[in-house]
Amino acid sequence: GGTTATYATSFDGDADRIVFFTQSPRFRLLDGDKIAVLMCDFLQSQVVALETAMLEKKPESTPQLKLGVVQTAYANGASTNYIKQIM
């Protein structure tokens, strides 16, 4: 059978930040930057799917769709680079 991972969540003191983590098979932490990149990846896939569907229906009137991402100056540099290069 497959391996099932258990995920947990933790808020900071005033609950304005959240992290997700798992310990299977090893400890992995998903902080705000990683969560934001995962959400951007998902939203980008939805934008592409919508644009494809619109092109099939009415190619002459389909606008070019773009996804914008805003990060603070405190964002992890690796997440910023990933967004710039991949998205």
Side-chain angles (χ1 to χ4, degrees):
T3 305
T4 303
T6 300
Y7 289 89
T9 256
S10 179
F11 291 97
D12 73 335
D14 60 354
D16 67 344
R17 286 179 296 257
I18 188 172
V19 295
F20 292 93
F21 59 94
T22 184
Q23 291 185 352
S24 50
R26 59 184 170 79
F27 182 80
R28 293 192 62 170
L29 177 68
L30 298 176
D31 61 11
D33 290 328
K34 289 179 184 174
I35 295 166
V37 168
L38 288 172
M39 287 300 300
C40 289
D41 274 343
F42 171 75
L43 291 172
Q44 180 66 25
S45 72
Q46 297 303 296
V47 166
V48 169
L50 177 61
E51 189 172 43
T52 301
M54 291 172 70
L55 281 168
E56 290 173 0
K57 234 178 184 180
K58 283 189 158 185
E60 69 283 350
S61 63
T62 299
Q64 184 180 6
L65 303 175
K66 292 185 178 187
L67 175 67
V69 180
V70 177
Q71 290 186 305
T72 69
Y74 301 105
N76 178 317
S79 69
T80 303
N81 290 338
Y82 177 85
I83 290 168
K84 285 180 181 178
Q85 293 173 7
I86 304 299
M87 305 184 90

